[in-house]
Amino acid sequence: MKDLKFEQKRSLSRLEAADQLMALAAALREGGEAELEVGPGKLSLRIPDDLRSEIEVEVGNGEIELEIEFKWPTAPTRTAPSQAVAGTQEAARRRKSVPAKPGRSSTATSRSKSTKRSTTKTP
């Protein structure tokens, strides 16, 4: 059973459809708590930084059906994947700026890493 389901079916002009998609795009771009005008009311959603998407196109019975679906968990996650990637990039940047230990040059470290890499590759 779904916790909540909202569905609305109505005819739109091409410009109304574009306005609806632009409002959704603006809410996605901003993230956080977003409000979308849907018919006579407003729909409030928490939109996280990362979400899953699915695009489906069906052609049949003289019609084209285009579905664009976004999914994300209802509960906020501890660390968003984009933040984890940024943290990994920051850690890599810090490692590069750390001075080499006395008696070891940075080129020797680089060579040993490349040697390890080349020995682990399989033909």
Side-chain angles (χ1 to χ4, degrees), residues 2 24 28 46-56 67-77 80-82:
K2 303 245 182 214
L24 177 59
L28 287 168
R46 178 198 55 82
I47 302 176
D49 290 336
D50 296 287
L51 28 98
R52 297 180 313 273
S53 72
E54 181 180 327
I55 297 177
E56 185 178 323
E67 291 184 25
I68 302 171
E69 181 174 288
F70 296 105
K71 290 183 181 183
W72 61 89
T74 54
T77 56
S82 63

Side-chain angles (χ1 to χ4, degrees), residues 96-115:
K96 287 180 183 176
S97 65
V98 173
K101 291 181 182 178
R104 295 180 74 189
S105 70
S106 60
T107 54
T109 305
S110 297
R111 271 189 241 129
S112 65
K113 285 182 182 176
S114 63
T115 304

Side-chain angles (χ1 to χ4, degrees), residues 4-121:
L4 171 70
K5 182 174 182 176
F6 172 84
E7 190 172 285
Q8 181 184 57
K9 294 182 181 185
R10 63 186 177 117
S11 294
L12 300 171
S13 70
R14 183 175 45 83
L15 293 176
E16 288 171 323
D19 288 344
Q20 200 171 46
L21 288 172
M22 287 175 59
L24 177 59
L28 287 168
R29 182 171 303 281
E30 180 140 338
E33 296 295 323
E35 284 192 354
L36 298 169
E37 288 191 33
V38 183
K42 288 187 179 185
L43 179 62
S44 296
L45 296 170
R46 178 198 55 82
I47 302 176
D49 290 336
D50 296 287
L51 28 98
R52 297 180 313 273
S53 72
E54 181 180 327
I55 297 177
E56 185 178 323
V57 178
E58 291 182 29
V59 180
N61 299 326
E63 290 185 328
I64 297 174
E65 181 178 333
L66 170 64
E67 291 184 25
I68 302 171
E69 181 174 288
F70 296 105
K71 290 183 181 183
W72 61 89
T74 54
T77 56
R78 287 187 286 148
T79 304
S82 63
Q83 291 171 344
V85 169
T88 303
Q89 291 170 345
E90 177 64 21
R93 186 185 63 74
R94 280 193 218 134
R95 281 193 299 269
K96 287 180 183 176
S97 65
V98 173
K101 291 181 182 178
R104 295 180 74 189
S105 70
S106 60
T107 54
T109 305
S110 297
R111 271 189 241 129
S112 65
K113 285 182 182 176
S114 63
T115 304
K116 286 180 185 176
R117 282 189 202 124
S118 63
T119 58
T120 57
K121 291 182 184 177

